Amino acid sequence: MNDLSAAAGADAGALLAALPDPVAWLGPDGAWTVNGAAAARLDLLDAGQDWQALFSDDSAARLRRAVQDAQAGQTTRVTVKIVDTAAPGLVTVAPSGGGVLLHLHVARDPLEVALELMDGLHLGLTVQSPDSRILMVNGAAPDILGLSAGQLTGRDSLDPRWQAIHPDGRPFPGDTHPSRVALRTGQVVRDVPMGIFHPPSETWRWLQVTAIPRLVAGTNEAKQVTTVFADVTDRYVLQREMQRSEQRFRSLVEATSQIVWDAHPDGHFPPPQPGWEAFTGQTPGEYGGAGWLDAVHPDDRPSTLRDWRRAVQTEQHYLTEHRLRRADGTYVPMQARAVAVRDENGAIREWVGIHTDMSAVRDAQQALIDLNADLERRVQERTLALADLTRFSTLLLTAAGEGIFGLNPDGMTTFANPAAARMLGYSVERMIGASQHDLVHHHHADGRPYELRECPIHQTLQDGQTRRVEQDVMWHAQGHAVPVAYVVTPTHDENGQPSGAVVMVQDITERERAQEQLRELIENLERSNQDLEQFAYVASHDLQEPLRTIGSYTELLARRYQGQLDPRADQYLHYMQDAVMRMRSLIQDLLGFARVGRHDTLLERVPLDDLLRAAAQNVRGTLDDGGGTLDWRTPHAVLGQPSLLIQLITNLISNGLKFRAQDRPAHVQVTSHLEGEFVRVTVQDNGIGIAPEYHARVFDIFQRLHRREQYAGNGMGLAICRKIVEFHGGRIWLESAPAQGSTFHLTLPVAPSQ
Ligand code: ADP
């Protein structure tokens, strides 16, 4: 092929080359020359095929005829069908430069044009397969849906990534999407509103969707579905807003139930009165003139008329209340007001009136009155209860002998009773509002500063635990410490939150003083006891020596001069010897008493039976002389010092034998019982008994109830018994009455089982 410009001249050649339509020139020599657009079309054909392959067979035949006509000098236009396109083509075939020029004008593919149009209108389009997979999308769809063409292609309607909703907010499941419905039913689904989530803007957009199925010819079965959608978000939002404000407006109007009306200066009520008509249902003919009064409750008509006439006459504003009949026949309490509207000369131009429904106001007023009454009653009840409580607590606080403080969470005193104030020397007023710790609890008894964190009261404020402190001090206004014991109890407000603490303080000055005195007394007693024992021991020990000397010389005197002096001297000597013996025995006993417990002795297990056997041995002389009988049943063992215990039991048994009744032989019985940690030993006789008033005294040293001539003895036996029992940590007491025999009880620690 030759260059076109060579054939048609430089300018024409350039023009043809630039033409978007395909152009071909058949030279006189039978050679074809084509421009770029034509070359591009021909390039699509398989190599070796000529231009005729571009057209359908009959189009190619008609073109060939037209070429022949052009060669004969005639220009023709031929409509052709181009292979592979739906759009028809128009070829102009004209004689030119000795050859023939063919100009192909191709109409555009309608689908392509439609798609382009839709893009321009910003309408989205998708084509989906029977399983609802997206096969193609137009240019606007990705923008509307917020997904790229790549993301959209291949995705189906059931893909969980779609997020769609109905206008009322319900989810819009994939299976109910218009495209799926159209595929299922073979019917067109039109104008379905649908909210979709638009990922790039992260907003919900509103679409109006129409799905058109393409059916297999002659069936109801869809082979494809084309879905067209428009983004109607702006319109939708606007509509919703309008709906909302309209609704608001309507409810406002409904809620206010007001009627606005106007009247002539003379009080005439002219139509139209749309508000009045709507409310009362009266027609203009009914309410015109004074007919409106018919809608007022008969009982309220006179007062209404009176008020209206007065307003019209005095030109003052109109205010009245009456029941107005609503269209449904019920009467509604209304307040009617009207004002005169004047012109520039001050003359009344018209009346403008308004009726206001009072029922809501009345209801609200009644509810308010009821509420107030209820509130009043509750306040009164509560006040009474509070007053009672306050009176009671004030009484309690005032009467309490203990000091009572209330503290807030910061440790400030919120109340203090008179006892607290008295105890610490402040006025109640001075204490309230002051930091309790700083005022009265700032130092320890020894003068060290009392750190807040170690203060038990402060700790309770922190952790809400009750604390009891047995010994502490609080500081008196005059600077001295007051010994105190106190209890700190946390308090809570009505919501159960910690609200501080109550401290109940007891002045323990007296208690401490009494304890101190007791301690001193005990110390003194112990000391004097020790002194006494020491004295008794030393005295008896030291007395032995001179007594021994007196005894020896008395003995000597008696032996040498007995019978040589007069009888009286012999008697005196006898008295002396007797006194020395008695003295010796007294000293022996005293020494024995003083010795008890003087030496640290090891306590050992002592079976009572062993003791009894030894004691029986000691009193054997008395028993053998027919002085009585002794038996025992003592199966227990005690912890003690054997020689002291033998002395103890021997003393008690020999007393029982000694203080026998004249009329019966003495009988002594010893028994034992286990009493917890102790063994109780009981020594019972059938002797003369002891009057109750002497029961305590018989245990004192040198205490005797009889003269020596009646019963021998020094009055030391029971004193020694008591000392031995107490040395072992036990107790001794007796039960007896004159002539009833005596029962001595004593307790000794039980020996641990072996
Ligand atoms: P003594 O036996 O040396 O007189 P005690 O101290 O043993 O001294 O007893 C003090 C007094 O208690 C006795 O003098 C006696 O009056 C009275 N007494 C002691 N034991 C008995 C008893 N078993 N029955 C009656 N009286 C008793």
Side-chain angles (χ1 to χ4, degrees):
M1 285 184 215
N2 299 326
D3 190 291
L4 192 68
S5 53
D11 288 346
L15 185 72
L16 285 179
L19 210 69
D21 293 338
V23 178
W25 187 64
L26 178 67
D29 53 354
W32 286 94
T33 305
V34 295
N35 75 344
R41 281 210 175 239
L42 290 170
D43 279 351
L44 294 174
L45 301 174
D46 286 345
Q49 285 187 312
D50 72 5
W51 61 271
Q52 299 180 52
L54 278 175
F55 305 100
S56 66
D57 291 345
D58 52 331
S59 296
R62 268 185 284 130
L63 275 175
R64 278 196 298 277
R65 265 199 306 280
V67 169
Q68 285 164 13
D69 291 347
Q71 283 168 336
Q74 196 182 331
T75 299
T76 42
R77 288 220 170 117
V78 181
T79 305
V80 292
K81 165 120 184 57
I82 303 167
V83 173
D84 279 350
T85 58
L90 184 68
V91 184
T92 308
V93 187
S96 166
V100 178
L101 190 74
L102 287 90
H103 172 212
L104 174 63
H105 179 77
V106 187
R108 297 195 45 217
D109 186 334
L111 182 64
E112 219 173 272
V113 174
L115 286 178
E116 211 169 87
L117 207 67
M118 285 175 74
D119 284 349
L121 289 172
H122 207 63
L123 282 174
L125 177 135
T126 60
V127 179
Q128 286 166 277
S129 63
D131 59 357
S132 81
R133 261 182 316 105
I134 295 177
L135 303 174
M136 69 146 292
V137 296
N138 74 336
D143 187 37
I144 295 174
L145 299 176
L147 295 166
S148 70
Q151 285 171 322
L152 286 168
T153 311
R155 206 192 252 203
D156 64 44
S157 296
L158 301 179
D159 193 301
R161 286 172 294 181
W162 294 116
Q163 292 189 60
I165 52 170
H166 285 282
D168 60 7
R170 273 180 305 121
F172 206 138
D175 203 37
T176 61
H177 283 190
S179 55
R180 295 281 301 189
V181 176
L183 281 170
R184 222 172 17 243
T185 62
Q187 305 287 321
V188 177
V189 182
R190 265 179 227 289
D191 297 332
V192 178
M194 187 183 214
I196 56 135
F197 188 72
H198 187 259
S201 66
E202 298 195 335
T203 56
W204 286 91
R205 317 236 51 164
W206 288 95
L207 306 185
Q208 195 164 32
V209 185
T210 296
I212 306 152
R214 257 178 83 191
L215 305 178
V216 177
T219 69
N220 212 23
E221 197 183 310
K223 59 178 179 190
Q224 270 186 358
V225 61
T226 303
T227 308
V228 182
F229 42 92
D231 184 336
V232 294
T233 308
D234 295 345
R235 202 169 70 205
Y236 186 81
V237 169
L238 213 65
Q239 226 171 30
R240 296 263 289 219
E241 245 164 42
M242 266 174 64
Q243 269 172 5
R244 218 173 291 142
S245 64
E246 192 185 296
Q247 219 158 31
R248 251 202 317 267
F249 180 68
R250 186 172 303 143
S251 52
L252 197 71
V253 169
E254 275 164 10
T256 51
S257 285
Q258 288 189 331
I259 312 168
V260 181
W261 47 268
D262 55 343
H264 286 169
D266 60 0
H268 188 76
F269 193 54
Q273 303 282 1
W276 186 271
E277 284 168 30
F279 189 89
T280 62
Q282 280 188 314
T283 62
E286 284 168 342
Y287 65 76
W292 57 270
L293 209 54
D294 288 343
V296 175
H297 192 280
D299 294 351
D300 301 338
R301 281 176 203 159
S303 59
T304 303
L305 205 56
R306 189 193 59 220
D307 289 343
W308 180 230
R309 281 192 181 139
R310 184 187 301 144
V312 171
Q313 272 163 21
T314 60
E315 301 188 350
Q316 294 299 314
H317 66 265
Y318 165 63
L319 177 68
T320 193
E321 277 183 26
H322 53 223
R323 283 158 286 176
L324 194 63
R325 194 180 56 230
R326 208 163 49 192
D328 62 8
T330 55
Y331 282 97
V332 178
M334 287 266 180
Q335 187 189 58
R337 275 173 297 158
V339 287
V341 180
R342 294 167 193 276
D343 61 18
E344 57 274 20
N345 302 321
I348 294 184
R349 204 172 63 199
E350 62 176 344
W351 288 89
V352 174
I354 189 163
H355 268 73
T356 308
D357 183 348
M358 299 292 287
S359 49
V361 177
R362 290 253 168 90
D363 288 354
Q365 262 171 355
Q366 192 52 47
L368 205 68
I369 289 168
D370 292 351
L371 200 73
N372 263 337
D374 186 45
L375 211 67
E376 186 99 335
R377 188 176 47 73
R378 274 161 53 191
V379 166
Q380 255 170 20
E381 276 174 15
R382 188 93 185 95
T383 313
L384 270 176
L386 261 175
D388 266 3
L389 196 72
T390 314
R391 205 168 28 246
F392 180 68
S393 16
T394 312
L395 215 69
L396 205 72
L397 280 176
T398 316
E402 290 183 319
I404 304 175
F405 303 104
L407 300 179
N408 73 4
D410 299 328
M412 299 298 158
T413 309
T414 52
F415 67 80
N417 71 341
R422 228 175 7 252
M423 187 186 301
L424 297 167
Y426 291 101
S427 68
V428 169
E429 292 72 26
R430 171 71 184 87
M431 300 188 87
I432 289 176
S435 156
Q436 197 245 12
H437 189 84
D438 293 346
L439 191 67
V440 299
H441 204 210
H442 39 79
H443 283 82
H444 286 279
D446 59 10
R448 276 181 305 121
Y450 214 139
E451 300 291 340
L452 199 58
R453 69 189 139 71
E454 50 169 347
C455 165
I457 298 171
H458 181 73
Q459 285 165 1
T460 290
L461 288 174
Q462 300 293 307
D463 64 12
Q465 300 291 316
T466 300
R467 284 188 171 71
R468 176 182 293 275
V469 177
E470 287 303 338
Q471 210 169 22
D472 200 348
V473 293
M474 287 194 179
W475 294 87
H476 193 272
Q478 286 171 0
H480 60 264
V482 180
V484 290
Y486 53 86
V487 183
V488 199
T489 315
T491 56
H492 298 95
D493 63 17
E494 61 270 24
N495 301 320
Q497 295 301 310
S499 66
V502 171
V503 189
M504 297 184 71
V505 191
Q506 208 184 356
D507 181 342
I508 55 166
T509 311
E510 283 308 317
R511 192 173 86 188
E512 288 219 316
R513 193 172 298 153
Q515 269 173 353
E516 184 57 31
Q517 277 174 351
L518 201 67
R519 227 182 352 259
E520 273 175 23
L521 214 66
I522 291 170
E523 260 174 37
N524 284 344
L525 259 174
E526 276 174 354
R527 201 172 318 116
S528 65
N529 243 353
Q530 271 173 7
D531 290 352
L532 248 173
E533 277 179 18
Q534 186 68 14
F535 168 75
Y537 183 75
V538 171
S540 45
H541 193 265
D542 291 359
L543 279 174
Q544 281 189 110
E545 187 48 37
L547 186 63
R548 214 172 281 131
T549 311
I550 296 171
S552 307
Y553 282 100
T554 310
E555 191 75 37
L556 206 62
L557 214 61
R559 225 184 295 141
R560 186 163 297 179
Y561 299 104
Q562 191 88 52
Q564 295 179 27
L565 306 170
D566 61 7
R568 184 170 296 210
D570 279 353
Q571 190 160 19
Y572 289 165
L573 264 177
H574 180 70
Y575 286 159
M576 272 173 69
Q577 278 180 309
D578 214 33
V580 168
M581 255 168 60
R582 215 148 49 82
M583 185 80 170
R584 189 175 293 143
S585 114
L586 276 174
I587 288 174
Q588 284 296 314
D589 280 353
L590 202 58
L591 206 57
F593 176 81
R595 273 200 193 115
V596 175
R598 252 185 99 76
H599 305 292
D600 283 343
T601 40
L602 223 61
L603 300 184
E604 55 189 84
R605 177 190 165 82
V606 187
L608 288 175
D609 283 347
D610 290 358
L611 285 183
L612 263 299
R613 266 190 294 276
Q617 193 64 34
N618 289 344
V619 297
R620 193 196 207 129
T622 316
L623 293 173
D624 286 350
D625 292 348
T629 52
L630 165 71
D631 59 55
W632 65 88
R633 211 172 59 76
T634 51
H636 303 99
V638 296
L639 192 65
Q641 215 266 303
S643 61
L644 290 178
L645 294 180
I646 291 170
Q647 193 183 355
L648 165 70
I649 299 294
T650 305
N651 277 353
L652 292 173
I653 293 172
S654 55
N655 276 353
L657 296 174
K658 181 164 70 177
F659 297 104
R660 54 184 274 213
Q662 293 303 320
D663 56 343
R664 53 185 180 256
H667 175 65
V668 176
Q669 190 179 33
V670 185
T671 51
S672 69
H673 304 274
L674 193 63
E675 282 185 355
E677 310 262 283
F678 289 88
V679 176
R680 184 205 284 213
V681 182
T682 305
V683 182
Q684 188 174 27
D685 66 50
N686 59 347
I688 57 170
I690 305 170
E693 62 266 35
Y694 301 119
H695 286 190
R697 265 217 256 148
V698 293
F699 292 105
D700 291 345
I701 53 171
F702 301 130
Q703 273 298 332
R704 310 202 67 230
L705 305 179
H706 306 278
R707 290 194 298 116
R708 191 175 308 278
E709 292 72 34
Q710 281 178 289
Y711 298 98
N714 293 323
M716 283 296 290
L718 288 179
I720 291 172
C721 285
R722 183 171 71 178
K723 206 168 173 203
I724 291 171
V725 171
E726 286 177 356
F727 168 75
H728 284 87
R731 246 167 23 92
I732 184 166
W733 70 101
L734 73 101
E735 287 173 294
S736 182
Q740 302 291 310
S742 306
T743 306
F744 284 83
H745 301 276
L746 59 99
T747 58
L748 293 168
V750 66
S753 50
Q754 287 171 318

